[in-house]
Amino acid sequence: MKGWKLTDKKTVLEEEVAVKETVSNASKVKVTKAMINLSDVLRYNGEMESEKVVLGSYGLGIISETDANLLGLERGKRVYIENHKPCYECFNCKQNHTEKCLNINTAAVDYDGFLCDFISIDSDKLFVLPESVTDEEALFIGDVSLALSVIDSLGIKKGDYITVIGANNFAVILSQLLIYYQAVPVIVGIDEEQNRIAKDSGIYYVLGPNDNWTKEVNAITGGRMTTSVVYISDNNISVNKAFALASHGANVAFTGISNKTGAIAFTQAIKKRLTIHCIAGETGNTSASINLLANKAINLSKLKIAHDDYKNVPAVFSKLDEEYETTGKVTETIIKVF
């Protein structure tokens, strides 16, 4: 098996990939498509630490080898490959509570990602895709799963106003889900292109860099401000805006696809008695996410997504790194592997 492996800062080489999955119910999957996102680029350029692993944060493929006793995972099935797994080494894992793992491992960070021809993985991490979910939609299942975790963690209810800080593809997905659950999202962002995409995707309240965010959110909520604020770490907006736009006693969630970090001053949070939530990718929402996409609860047609081929991966990373250095953002890119 071969894959595009991070070997040094700003260097990816196609190398032989060792099969590391040793569980008894592992399946072999022919990877058909993978996605490069901000997380991959931040590890490629050295801004975030990484193991020397195959990159590609999300992937899907066709089952090529599997245990005959695994009902539903027959050879030839198109599957989404979940990109998190327990460490199996922490106290909770050793007590057979892997759902409470203290050190969840992530593909393309802690172990090989999906920019490879084949992958051998625990069959529990494979989810058969219905025909109504396209390959492009399937590659955003991880984003939908994270958005569901945010909604669950904050206890969002019908009619709640939620400020979403940072207009990007994940912000659009989260906001569409909030509308689906009859909440009212308010996206604030400094990128005019992404703000336009959010509006085109059906988000009514979208505030741009020339708006007075505090004044506008105050007006939208009738002076109450929002009881929940979601700060998406993949943007370049001051973290303190999350505290400024929250009502007294509000919930503030920090989340994001890349886990990019920034400096935080807690003065406003303490004064307002805010409750802080830190929300990372979850492994329990994949089936629900597939159902939401199959039922067209989320419309991804307006998102900014690029496409390229497996052979061009080094050039794609170089281009995305240049985009990040120039604009501070990355265009999520789907790679056709097979």
Side-chain angles (χ1 to χ4, degrees):
M1 295 187 286
K2 291 185 177 181
W4 288 106
K5 188 174 184 179
L6 179 67
T7 59
D8 204 346
K9 183 178 179 180
K10 297 190 177 184
T11 304
V12 287
L13 298 176
E14 188 180 30
E15 294 186 351
E16 290 291 333
V17 180
V19 178
K20 298 179 181 179
E21 198 65 59
T22 58
V23 295
S24 59
N25 66 335
S27 293
K28 188 176 181 182
V29 178
K30 171 67 177 175
V31 179
T32 55
K33 289 183 181 174
M35 187 158 73
I36 299 171
N37 62 17
L38 178 60
S39 176
D40 294 301
V41 174
L42 293 180
R43 285 163 176 81
Y44 169 80
N45 67 19
E47 185 169 323
M48 297 186 74
E49 292 184 4
S50 175
E51 301 292 332
K52 303 304 182 187
V53 294
V54 173
L55 296 177
S57 291
Y58 296 122
L60 57 92
I62 304 295
I63 295 176
S64 61
E65 295 178 19
T66 191
D67 190 321
N69 295 320
L70 293 174
L71 185 64
L73 291 178
E74 293 87 5
R75 186 176 178 182
K77 289 285 189 179
R78 184 174 66 116
V79 292
Y80 170 74
I81 311 164
E82 202 170 57
N83 71 332
H84 294 88
K85 63 182 181 181
C87 69
Y88 299 110
E89 297 177 353
C90 70
F91 177 82
N92 289 341
C93 283
K94 289 180 178 179
Q95 298 300 312
N96 295 320
H97 294 300
T98 54
E99 75 282 359
K100 298 179 181 179
C101 177
L102 299 173
N103 187 31
I104 288 287
N105 288 343
T106 303
V109 178
D110 305 296
Y111 62 95
D112 288 331
F114 305 111
L115 285 171
C116 54
D117 52 3
F118 286 93
I119 188 167
S120 181
I121 194 163
D122 184 342
S123 297
D124 291 341
K125 297 299 174 184
L126 301 180
F127 292 80
V128 176
L129 294 166
E131 291 184 5
S132 57
V133 176
T134 68
D135 286 354
E136 188 169 278
E137 289 172 332
L139 288 167
F140 283 92
I141 288 171
D143 288 37
V144 178
S145 296
L146 179 58
L148 285 173
S149 293
V150 171
I151 292 170
D152 290 342
S153 297
L154 296 180
I156 302 298
K157 303 183 297 295
K158 178 181 178 180
D160 284 352
Y161 287 86
I162 298 94
T163 301
V164 179
I165 298 178
N168 60 10
N169 286 347
F170 175 69
V172 170
I173 290 170
L174 172 60
S175 296
Q176 287 187 348
L177 274 180
L178 288 167
I179 292 171
Y180 179 78
Y181 290 113
Q182 299 182 292
V184 184
V186 182
I187 289 183
V188 300
I190 58 177
D191 187 299
E192 294 285 17
E193 181 185 25
Q194 291 290 353
N195 286 352
R196 176 185 56 76
I197 289 170
K199 290 178 182 178
D200 290 345
S201 298
I203 314 306
Y204 185 75
Y205 293 115
V206 181
L207 306 179
N210 297 321
D211 293 313
N212 183 322
W213 294 348
T214 303
K215 181 179 178 180
E216 293 292 340
V217 171
N218 186 71
I220 291 168
T221 60
R224 298 184 300 273
M225 303 304 283
T226 50
T227 54
S228 292
V229 177
V230 180
Y231 180 88
I232 299 173
S233 64
D234 311 315
N235 72 77
N236 295 312
I237 300 171
S238 170
V239 173
N240 296 318
K241 287 292 183 183
F243 303 146
L245 296 173
S247 63
H248 186 276
N251 291 300
V252 177
F254 292 96
T255 189
I257 301 303
S258 71
N259 293 326
K260 182 179 176 181
T261 59
I264 303 176
F266 286 102
T267 304
Q268 286 190 77
I270 294 169
K271 286 182 177 180
K272 289 185 173 182
R273 293 174 170 79
L274 304 179
T275 300
I276 309 258
H277 303 258
C278 299
I279 305 170
E282 297 288 344
T283 58
N285 293 327
T286 301
S287 293
S289 300
I290 293 172
N291 288 334
L292 286 165
L293 289 167
N295 292 319
K296 306 306 175 186
I298 303 164
N299 179 9
L300 306 183
S301 64
K302 303 297 183 181
L303 299 189
K304 185 177 181 181
I305 305 166
H307 294 79
D308 217 308
D309 292 324
Y310 179 81
K311 64 181 179 181
N312 298 329
V313 164
V316 171
F317 270 106
S318 180
K319 179 181 178 181
L320 293 177
D321 182 48
E322 183 178 348
E323 178 188 19
Y324 177 73
E325 290 295 329
T326 304
T327 68
K329 61 182 182 179
V330 162
T331 300
E332 291 171 308
T333 303
I334 294 174
I335 301 297
K336 182 181 178 182
V337 179
F338 173 75

